Amino acid sequence: MSEPMTSTPITVEHVTLRSQKSFEAVRAALEAAVPPLDHAYAELLRDGNVDAARDLLERQAPLSIFGSRDHGGLLLTAGLTRKAVQYDIGNPLTAARTTRHVLSAALYAPIRVLLREDEAGGVAFEYDRPASTFGQFGRPEVDAVARDLDAQLQKVLAEAAG
């Protein structure tokens, strides 16, 4: 019988990408470059229309915003006024390319990205590099997808921050 819980330490590379632009300008640039995900694919899958769902996903952008949360607004409950938006960014087909090999990779797909303004007004993106989070699984197929995702994410965030 296996143990009910196991634990494995991993090393994660955390990235901070600073911007000289305002929070609003960086947010607008990101949201213009990375469109919202069309979630209609999920209903197609629920209805058994796999080919139609795949076709819809293949027509979407390489990276999409699955959703976002106003984390700065949440800080109002602690008496703080800060600008911070947490995004889930990725691509469902890319996620399937990793999870088909290791289902546990779903823990990291889509990628969580934070856009925040610090107390001094400095603006930055923060995220954990996909190659490090997915790398824990030790699967070359997953590592290749993670490296591609790293490059895509870094490019779009650098452009928005620039």
Side-chain angles (χ1 to χ4, degrees):
M1 183 170 137
S2 65
E3 295 183 45
M5 185 172 95
T6 61
S7 176
T8 305
I10 63 169
T11 300
V12 174
E13 184 179 350
H14 185 78
V15 176
T16 301
L17 175 60
R18 300 187 196 294
S19 176
Q20 297 302 310
K21 295 172 20 179
S22 71
F23 179 89
E24 291 77 12
V26 175
R27 182 178 186 176
L30 176 66
E31 292 179 4
V34 182
L37 178 65
D38 181 350
H39 291 279
Y41 79 92
E43 187 171 333
L44 290 168
L45 288 174
R46 277 192 299 275
D47 292 343
N49 298 317
V50 176
D51 291 336
R54 186 181 310 106
D55 183 57
L56 174 63
L57 289 170
E58 287 172 349
R59 291 191 315 264
Q60 294 197 42
L63 291 176
S64 296
I65 296 173
F66 281 58
S68 64
R69 288 162 296 288
D70 179 2
H71 200 79
L74 179 63
L75 289 175
L76 290 171
T77 63
L80 300 172
T81 303
R82 300 283 285 281
K83 296 176 185 173
V85 178
Q86 186 183 78
Y87 294 94
D88 293 326
I89 297 177
N91 180 300
L93 294 176
T94 301
R97 286 175 50 212
T98 61
T99 57
R100 70 186 292 180
H101 300 289
V102 181
L103 190 53
S104 297
L107 286 167
Y108 306 102
I111 307 303
R112 187 170 285 176
V113 175
L114 177 67
L115 171 61
R116 52 106 176 132
E117 184 178 70
D118 63 28
E119 295 165 344
V123 175
F125 284 114
E126 293 188 52
Y127 65 98
D128 293 336
R129 189 175 302 278
S132 68
T133 55
F134 290 113
Q136 70 181 292
F137 301 113
R139 296 289 298 269
E141 310 92 340
V142 174
D143 293 344
V145 174
R147 283 190 302 274
D148 184 46
L149 187 54
D150 269 350
Q152 289 179 37
L153 190 60
Q154 182 178 358
K155 181 178 187 290
V156 76
L157 295 179
E159 288 174 358

